[in-house]
Amino acid sequence: MIPEKIDRLLLRTQKPARYCGGEPGSVIKEKDQVDLRIAFCFPDLYEVGMSHLGMKILYGLLNNEEGTWCERVFAPDVDFQQLMEENGVKLYGLESFDPLDQFDMVDFTLQYEMCYTTILNMLRLGGVPVRTADRGNGWEYPLVIGGGPCACNPEPIADFFDLFVLGEGEEVVLELNALYRSCRREGVDRREFLRRAAQLGGVYVPSFYQVSYEEDGRVKEVTPLEGAPAVVKKRIIRDMDKVYYPDSFVVPFVDIVHDRAMTEVLRGCIRGCRFCQAGYIYRPLREKNPDLISEQAHTLCRSTGYNEVSLTSLSTSDHSGLEQLMEGMLSWTDGERVNISLPSLRVDNFSPKLLEMVQKVRKSGLTFAPEAGSQRLRDAINKNVTEDEVMNTCRMAFEGGYTAVKLYFMMGLPTETMEDITAIITLAQKAVDLYYSLPTRQKGKAVNVTVSVACFVPKPFTPFQFEPQDSLESFKEKQRHLVHSVTSRKIRVNYHDAITSRLEAVLARGDRRLCQVVEEVWRQGGNLEGWETHFDAARWQQAMDKFGLDMDFYACRRRDYEEKMPWDHLDYGITKEFLARENQKAHESVAIPNCRERCAGCGANKLVGGVCF
């Protein structure tokens, strides 16, 4: 039941369903029957967090464990935050309405660098000191734990977390739970728990590592303390057919970003695109059995009532049994009027048979990602897609009755020239011309080609981790050139804000000195900065200036292959030497086959069970 004090506030906020809990599928337990309470925090608004598959998986997994109660916590929007502060209400879990400081663990998923100030804001609103050093050595405050893709370089937020989980969490979170119970029974203090936790695979305790710097600001050395391992290796789930997957989701009362059932079809990616962090940190490629995927999707649709299910992965159309999977799912989705969403389609394996299947379940336009306009640049970034493949895919779509295609690109990629920017629009124009050349096109209907262009951000554990990001001036010049290159009304251009991308690059490759910057930005009002309406670049510049740090040092500086990276003591299964070799190939514009056609897909030179490790 909603406490009366909170209930009164809900009547005064714009979207009370974000904060009231009680949705179908939410898990309610008796407090006196659990000995471990976990707040799973998503540092963004409810509509975004409730769309995240990882949160759904771990919420189900943890609540499936006897004696554990996991609750959901999302960042409040500014209107509800103001009401909370005015009325003395702390940030709470949606299941019990208890504040964060009454939980044993507060777990954050780190999906995006621009959420860092939101994390601090959520801790403060929940009554938890933002810095680890201020939480003492006892158990007065909960442990603050982070995981997710941004944990591959957690240094810019290291001072705020007790520990980080590197890699996939289904196994390690249960090990941490068991260790926590053991330590509390023994009566040991917080520090001893962290010492023992640091010995678990995939657990990084930043307070056990001392960082020193060169005079020019580069990292000099990272020294482990108190018996912590010199290198922390990420955790991997080996068998996707045996790993836990929920048979039910929490169904929200309001529309969310991805309001549908989701089933995971594979982890990892075979592609090896040199800019793509996810393609490297989620290695190796592991597929689920098509029959199991269909069964899990069917179960979710029945338990939740959703009439749409998404086949989720980094590269769904790369599943070796996709056509078998689609045929199996269509045997029940047709009769039960359930739509199938395929969010990750590839240009080079989009077959007529797949198009026929997609047409049965997908009525809007198709989206593909050439990433670069010219073949030379696609080779440099190892995007194994040719112009002929792009055109053949567009041809299939147009002949299949589609009149809208969206093409994704990046600008600011290493070795890029202004001719490569022009080539983006040239490729889009060829798609337009192709449509009107087809006698089988839909008569009386115009084609629409949307070009979406993001700003390249160099990320850790990719071959481009050594590369400088373009300057703001260069990005703006290229964006102007992109727009001026368009000569057809059939082409629409969207591009990303370069200033936000610059901050992403700073935080993605930053070191621990940025902790004070993140905290200062938060104290000056930084919060929900993944939303354009809340982001203020001047606030970040002022904080960098206050502590004598330079954004260009982090974002726009080329890094030597021998330089000590802030994340070099973290192991995601890819050697630095391999990344350096791949970077060199990029500058030679050398493309390599994908992992299905080569053994050394991630620099490890061995196959385990037919997949690359």
Side-chain angles (χ1 to χ4, degrees):
M1 180 178 292
I2 304 175
E4 182 180 352
K5 190 173 186 179
I6 294 175
D7 196 26
R8 290 198 304 268
L9 299 185
L10 295 178
L11 297 175
R12 300 166 56 190
T13 189
Q14 292 181 9
K15 295 185 178 181
R18 289 171 167 169
Y19 315 109
C20 68
E23 308 99 319
S26 57
V27 178
I28 307 298
K29 297 187 178 184
E30 296 294 332
K31 296 179 186 178
D32 59 0
Q33 295 181 8
V34 299
D35 61 352
L36 179 58
R37 298 189 62 192
I38 299 173
F40 197 114
C41 300
F42 196 99
D44 208 323
L45 299 180
Y46 177 94
E47 293 90 332
V48 178
M50 280 293 291
S51 302
H52 184 243
L53 179 58
M55 186 175 201
K56 298 173 190 290
I57 293 173
L58 292 178
Y59 179 82
L61 172 70
L62 290 167
N63 281 315
N64 202 43
E65 183 182 49
E66 185 177 355
T68 300
W69 188 10
C70 177
E71 303 186 37
R72 298 160 297 135
V73 184
F74 303 98
D77 210 343
V78 291
D79 62 332
F80 194 64
Q81 176 176 329
Q82 182 177 347
L83 291 171
M84 292 169 61
E85 293 176 321
E86 290 174 351
N87 292 273
V89 173
K90 294 181 180 179
L91 185 61
Y92 54 82
L94 287 180
E95 282 71 18
S96 69
F97 299 97
D98 289 338
L100 289 189
D101 58 9
Q102 293 186 21
F103 287 80
D104 300 303
M105 297 180 181
V106 174
D107 297 356
F108 283 93
T109 179
L110 311 173
Q111 297 294 316
Y112 181 38
E113 293 85 358
M114 299 311 298
C115 76
Y116 290 169
T117 53
T118 306
I119 292 170
L120 303 193
N121 199 53
M122 292 176 71
L123 289 173
R124 180 190 67 83
L125 289 172
V128 181
V130 298
R131 284 189 169 265
T132 303
D134 296 331
R135 297 180 200 133
N137 195 30
W139 298 103
E140 178 183 358
Y141 295 107
L143 292 161
V144 179
I145 299 172
C150 291
C152 72
N153 178 28
E155 297 303 286
I157 48 174
D159 292 347
F160 313 122
F161 284 82
D162 293 289
L163 63 88
F164 294 93
V165 173
L166 308 186
E168 295 160 351
E170 288 97 333
E171 295 173 347
V172 69
V173 294
L174 299 182
E175 294 170 11
L176 282 169
N177 291 356
L179 178 63
Y180 179 87
R181 289 184 169 98
S182 174
C183 288
R184 293 302 296 267
R185 283 196 302 269
E186 294 178 34
V188 302
D189 60 22
R190 192 185 194 96
R191 193 76 174 175
E192 177 59 23
F193 167 83
L194 292 175
R195 288 192 193 96
R196 299 182 188 181
Q199 303 307 314
L200 297 175
V203 174
Y204 172 51
V205 182
S207 60
F208 290 162
Y209 295 82
Q210 185 176 23
V211 184
S212 59
Y213 299 90
E214 305 281 4
E215 289 186 6
D216 62 4
R218 292 175 296 123
V219 172
K220 181 178 182 180
E221 191 174 5
V222 178
T223 305
L225 309 172
E226 302 195 36
V231 176
V232 182
K233 296 184 178 181
K234 75 167 183 177
R235 292 291 288 267
I236 296 173
I237 299 297
R238 298 278 174 169
D239 191 340
M240 290 298 294
D241 290 340
K242 294 180 180 179
V243 69
Y244 170 85
Y245 200 79
D247 55 15
S248 180
F249 288 166
V250 180
V251 181
F253 292 133
V254 295
D255 288 339
I256 58 176
V257 175
H258 300 300
D259 201 5
R260 58 199 179 204
M262 303 179 195
T263 185
E264 191 175 23
V265 302
L266 59 83
R267 288 186 189 174
C269 181
I270 63 172
R271 296 288 166 166
C273 299
R274 293 177 177 128
F275 59 85
C276 181
Q277 185 183 61
Y280 283 89
I281 66 174
Y282 290 125
R283 291 185 178 195
L285 177 74
R286 291 144 294 160
E287 296 182 346
K288 259 187 191 176
N289 180 279
D291 293 336
L292 178 61
I293 297 169
S294 180
E295 177 187 339
Q296 291 176 340
H298 201 179
T299 299
L300 279 172
C301 289
R302 285 178 167 175
S303 65
T304 61
Y306 277 118
N307 61 3
E308 181 178 3
V309 60
S310 173
L311 303 182
T312 304
S313 75
L314 291 177
S315 53
T316 297
S317 61
D318 280 331
H319 193 292
S320 60
L322 181 61
E323 292 185 357
Q324 173 191 344
L325 169 61
M326 291 289 290
E327 289 173 352
M329 291 187 66
L330 288 170
S331 68
W332 59 267
T333 55
D334 279 353
E336 299 182 24
R337 297 184 179 180
V338 173
N339 290 327
I340 304 174
S341 172
L342 290 168
S344 302
L345 298 174
R346 298 286 182 170
V347 170
D348 56 343
N349 61 9
F350 191 74
S351 65
K353 188 173 182 180
L354 181 58
L355 175 64
E356 181 183 349
M357 293 178 176
V358 170
Q359 284 178 312
K360 295 179 181 180
V361 298
R362 190 170 183 168
K363 308 304 180 185
S364 59
L366 295 173
T367 300
F368 302 99
E371 306 294 359
S374 69
Q375 191 60 52
R376 183 205 61 81
L377 189 52
R378 285 194 293 273
D379 288 345
I381 65 176
N382 204 39
K383 185 74 177 182
N384 286 286
V385 171
T386 66
E387 183 175 304
D388 284 346
E389 287 171 331
V390 175
M391 290 299 106
N392 287 337
T393 299
C394 289
R395 179 188 297 274
M396 276 189 282
F398 295 150
E399 290 180 339
Y402 288 88
T403 60
V405 171
K406 178 179 283 190
L407 302 176
Y408 277 112
F409 299 89
M410 281 188 291
M411 67 168 51
L413 289 162
T415 78
E416 182 181 78
T417 66
M418 203 61 81
E419 287 73 23
D420 295 311
I421 300 298
T422 304
I424 292 174
I425 303 303
T426 301
L427 189 62
Q429 185 62 52
K430 287 181 179 179
V432 171
D433 295 342
L434 172 65
Y435 176 82
Y436 288 107
S437 73
L438 297 174
T440 56
R441 72 179 187 275
Q442 291 197 44
K443 304 302 180 182
K445 289 192 176 182
V447 69
N448 186 330
V449 177
T450 300
V451 172
S452 292
V453 186
C455 297
F456 166 69
V457 177
K459 293 290 184 89
F461 296 105
T462 70
F464 290 162
Q465 68 176 11
F466 309 100
E467 295 292 331
Q469 188 183 46
D470 265 8
S471 66
L472 292 179
E473 294 73 18
S474 177
F475 274 130
K476 291 176 182 178
E477 182 182 0
K478 289 177 179 179
Q479 287 168 348
R480 287 192 295 267
H481 184 74
L482 180 77
V483 173
H484 292 157
S485 298
V486 178
T487 59
S488 171
R489 293 183 179 179
K490 311 301 182 185
I491 298 174
R492 183 174 62 183
V493 173
N494 302 318
Y495 54 81
H496 196 267
D497 175 36
I499 297 178
T500 306
S501 298
R502 188 185 194 212
L503 259 298
E504 289 179 44
V506 170
L507 294 171
R509 296 193 296 176
D511 53 48
R512 287 195 188 184
R513 293 173 300 173
L514 290 176
C515 290
Q516 57 194 344
V517 174
V518 172
E519 184 174 3
E520 176 66 15
V521 171
W522 163 67
R523 293 193 182 281
Q524 296 304 319
N527 181 39
L528 294 172
E529 293 186 291
W531 298 83
E532 185 178 347
T533 52
H534 296 289
F535 175 70
D536 184 352
R539 211 159 30 204
W540 285 92
Q541 188 61 61
Q542 290 163 7
M544 295 288 288
D545 293 342
K546 178 177 179 178
F547 296 106
L549 298 174
D550 179 14
M551 287 193 187
D552 286 350
F553 174 83
Y554 294 105
C556 302
R557 177 175 62 88
R558 182 179 299 281
R559 306 192 181 195
D560 293 336
Y561 296 150
E562 295 77 21
E563 179 177 336
K564 183 79 172 178
M565 302 293 192
W567 54 89
D568 274 353
H569 56 300
L570 309 179
D571 183 355
Y572 272 74
I574 310 154
T575 67
K576 192 174 181 180
E577 292 73 20
F578 171 75
L579 296 176
R581 290 197 302 271
E582 284 294 297
N583 181 272
Q584 186 62 41
K585 290 176 183 176
H587 287 276
E588 298 167 358
S589 295
V590 175
I592 55 176
N594 66 48
C595 290
R596 290 203 191 282
E597 302 166 25
R598 61 194 173 97
C599 178
C602 56
N605 286 307
K606 67 175 179 177
L607 294 174
V608 178
V611 295
C612 183
F613 280 81

